[in-house]
Amino acid sequence: MPGAIHAEGLVKTFGDVRALDGVDLDVPEGTVLGLLGPNGAGKTTTVRVLTTLLQPDSGRAVVAGIDVLKHPNEVRRAIGLSGQFAAVDEYLTGRENLQMVGRLYQMSGKAAKARAVELLERFNLADAADRPTKTYSGGMRRRLDLAAALVVSPPVMFMDEPTTGLDPRNRQALWDVIQELVAGGTTLLLTTQYLEEADNLAHEICVVDHGRVIARGTADQLKARTGGERVEVVVHTPEQITTGREVLAGFGKGGAVTVDEHTRKLTVPVTGGAKLLAEVIRDLDARGVEIDDIGLRRPTLDDVFISLTGHAAETPADEDEAESRTRSADAGADDRRKETVK
């Protein structure tokens, strides 16, 4: 049976930009799928299609057992959504924003008030509950928006880069909330650019790039594809780079030694953990290579993307920009047609 979120062959174009190019997803009930990718990869467009905000050019999707294209209103009743940007009414207080959302979901006035109090406490907004949200900081607005998405405890949640703008304490608090929701049976699709976030929260990760799913698996499986850990060594002089590279090549697992000539830094994928560092230091010393610094680090998002796609996790194109350009062009065409009619 399909999962709580299921998509097959989703395609969406904005002018000459193919934001989605055949996306397939399946998220089992009560689990978290991390949709990981750079700006412009298609993450936000995927969320917008699944939450009925955009219609795909082709493909199909089912959310909470409901066909997204055939029954969009029923889908909206079954989901919660927190987009990339806080969607709050800045002239209402935090409390009033949450109560309004509850009433829109046809909660009783008493129930909406009680739920607002509970969420304001959970997201550390109780002290600012009766202030207009236009006085809130960006992080506070973000937390209020996330709280609004949870007013009715929907069975399926979509969070599009939810921790953007949050400090470490509030990011951890949000992670705790997400883990509580999932433990209670909620299914979550989470988009993020942060491997750490997906590592902490997601049961499975789909890596998207240029509108396609290019890899899927657990965080550990994806890290393993990049060579796991990395040893980084800064040699003392440029003349020692060649010898240092030869030494590190003997420890490399599944990847060549990369060299930054300017900083004299050598990097190689390895397995073996911290105890491997002692062997590296011993062999470098035996070859007469002086080092200024050495360390072991876990793969970053860029490591994953360079391994999978050959480029880093930053691209100039963004599907949001493409969509905006398309809408502007459509609006301009409409204006020109109106002028022609006149």
Side-chain angles (χ1 to χ4, degrees), residues 20-309:
L20 300 182
D21 192 15
V23 169
D24 297 324
L25 297 174
D26 194 67
V27 189
E29 185 176 344
T31 66
V32 180
L33 175 71
L35 205 58
L36 190 69
N39 291 332
K43 305 187 305 295
T44 295
T45 301
T46 300
V47 169
R48 288 175 180 169
V49 168
L50 294 173
T51 56
T52 77
L53 298 178
L54 281 176
Q55 284 201 343
D57 299 328
S58 61
R60 64 184 295 267
V62 175
V63 174
I66 307 165
D67 191 292
V68 170
L69 293 178
K70 293 179 180 178
H71 306 290
N73 289 335
E74 286 80 356
V75 170
R76 292 169 193 151
R77 295 189 186 102
I79 65 173
L81 168 64
S82 177
Q84 281 191 8
F85 306 101
V88 298
D89 189 322
E90 64 178 15
Y91 293 102
L92 298 180
T93 66
R95 189 188 308 276
E96 289 168 343
N97 266 282
L98 298 183
Q99 290 178 186
M100 176 184 68
V101 172
R103 296 296 285 156
L104 288 172
Y105 274 100
Q106 301 182 343
M107 295 174 67
S108 69
K110 182 177 181 181
K113 288 180 180 178
R115 184 61 172 159
V117 170
E118 178 185 347
L119 289 169
L120 289 165
E121 290 285 351
R122 177 180 283 189
F123 284 89
N124 298 316
L125 291 169
D127 291 343
D130 297 310
R131 282 169 40 196
T133 56
K134 64 182 179 181
T135 67
Y136 283 19
S137 67
M140 292 171 70
R141 290 188 185 205
R142 188 66 177 145
R143 278 147 48 206
L144 182 63
D145 180 70
L146 292 165
L150 299 174
V151 166
V152 293
S153 300
V156 179
M157 278 286 302
F158 295 86
M159 292 187 175
D160 195 4
E161 301 191 13
T163 58
T164 300
L166 297 186
D167 59 35
R169 181 172 64 89
N170 284 304
R171 182 179 295 115
Q172 183 60 57
L174 176 60
W175 290 357
D176 292 342
V177 169
I178 289 173
Q179 288 164 343
E180 290 173 16
L181 288 169
V182 176
T186 298
T187 304
L188 173 65
L189 189 150
L190 169 80
T191 79
T192 181
Q193 294 189 59
Y194 305 116
L195 189 61
E196 178 193 12
E197 186 157 275
D199 196 357
N200 275 274
L201 299 174
H203 296 88
E204 185 179 39
I205 296 170
C206 280
V207 181
V208 293
D209 193 35
H210 296 298
R212 288 180 173 272
V213 176
I214 60 171
R216 65 182 78 216
T218 66
D220 285 341
Q221 288 169 341
L222 293 177
K223 291 174 186 177
R225 293 181 65 168
T226 70
E229 299 161 317
R230 271 129 171 82
V231 168
E232 289 185 345
V233 176
V234 178
V235 298
H236 186 61
T237 65
E239 292 74 24
Q240 296 175 319
I241 288 176
T242 299
T243 305
R245 177 190 285 172
E246 292 172 358
V247 172
L248 291 183
F251 293 92
K253 304 294 182 182
V257 179
T258 58
V259 178
D260 185 327
E261 300 276 357
H262 179 68
T263 61
R264 308 183 309 283
K265 183 168 72 175
L266 313 177
T267 305
V268 64
V270 298
T271 56
K275 58 185 179 182
L276 183 71
L277 285 179
E279 297 178 34
V280 174
I281 293 171
R282 185 190 63 225
D283 286 11
L284 288 170
D285 184 61
R287 294 287 300 274
V289 178
E290 298 179 76
I291 60 174
D292 290 343
D293 192 22
I294 187 169
L296 186 72
R297 68 172 175 84
R298 300 280 283 170
T300 65
L301 180 62
D302 275 352
D303 295 328
V304 172
F305 268 83
I306 290 171
S307 173
L308 293 173
T309 70

